[in-house]
Amino acid sequence: STGGVMPDILLTGAGFSRNWGGWLTNEVFEYLLGCPEMTQDIHTAIWKSKNTNLGFENTLQELRETYERYRDDRFGDNLRIFEQMLVSMFHTMNKSFELTRFNPLVAPFSSDNEVDYVRHWLTRFDVIFTLNQDCLLELQYLPKDIQRLSSHRWKEMYMPGLEEVLS
């Protein structure tokens, strides 16, 4: 219970991670079209989604539905290939986030003791929901001492649908 006080909630979307190099729909489209494992079926599905102003999520859904409908090896291969293309895309984007300083105002040669204004600002919120499919917030919060920065209010992070992949 908040004792009658409304909690401070932040809802972020694609524009948030864009500030740190997150990709927008057209950049995702271009990345996927450049994947060397591209098949003609995937190429057609991506362009169909693009031409109807839908994103890669629609392409993924169509490939899944086609495989479920026909249960053919060709469609299963297309789905597997496209899923791997998406994994590669997010891996590439998230890898760059790991190297990104969260506060663009802090010079790269600065000491680690400098104040990170963005991270401190984010810790003022009671809850942060992100609609982003990238992991900018997770990569910037988990390895950093978020508990200390939030005056020990933040004790955990819940990431529905995400599972740790051991490599």
Side-chain angles (χ1 to χ4, degrees):
S1 169
T2 60
V5 177
M6 293 287 294
D8 291 322
I9 299 172
L10 176 65
L11 176 64
T12 69
F16 185 80
S17 63
R18 178 66 174 169
N19 294 305
W20 291 273
W23 301 347
L24 298 178
T25 302
N26 283 338
E27 293 160 320
V28 167
F29 175 74
E30 291 168 5
Y31 176 92
L32 293 172
L33 284 177
C35 289
E37 59 270 37
M38 176 72 67
T39 67
Q40 185 58 52
D41 291 332
I42 296 171
H43 187 269
T44 300
I46 289 174
W47 273 104
K48 181 180 175 189
S49 294
K50 171 75 170 162
N51 289 334
T52 54
N53 294 319
L54 299 170
F56 71 87
E57 301 90 346
N58 185 71
T59 302
L60 179 60
Q61 183 62 32
E62 285 202 7
L63 292 173
R64 285 179 175 166
E65 288 172 358
T66 301
Y67 176 63
E68 286 297 318
R69 188 176 314 121
Y70 298 107
R71 290 289 180 180
D72 182 89
D73 286 346
R74 173 181 145 197
F75 300 123
D77 289 344
N78 284 328
L79 177 57
R80 182 187 49 75
I81 290 167
F82 190 67
E83 287 173 341
Q84 187 54 49
M85 290 165 61
L86 294 177
V87 167
S88 177
M89 175 192 70
F90 281 113
H91 176 75
T92 300
M93 193 178 345
N94 289 331
K95 205 64 178 157
S96 70
F97 288 151
E98 286 178 351
L99 303 173
T100 299
R101 293 204 50 132
F102 209 34
N103 183 6
L105 302 177
V106 176
F109 51 83
S110 302
S111 74
D112 288 336
N113 295 330
E114 288 209 37
V115 176
D116 184 331
Y117 296 104
V118 175
R119 192 175 293 105
H120 279 275
W121 175 76
L122 288 172
T123 61
R124 293 179 181 176
F125 291 94
D126 297 305
V127 177
I128 298 175
F129 293 100
T130 181
L131 300 177
N132 286 358
Q133 296 165 337
D134 61 56
C135 294
L136 173 67
L137 287 176
E138 293 84 347
L139 291 167
Q140 291 295 332
Y141 269 126
L142 287 178
K144 312 297 193 257
D145 190 7
I146 193 64
Q147 231 180 345
R148 183 184 54 77
L149 289 174
S150 68
S151 300
H152 297 278
R153 288 185 314 124
W154 287 46
K155 296 182 177 28
E156 62 186 338
M157 180 182 294
Y158 178 65
M159 299 178 291
L162 293 180
E163 297 175 19
E164 184 176 355
V165 176
L166 303 174
S167 44

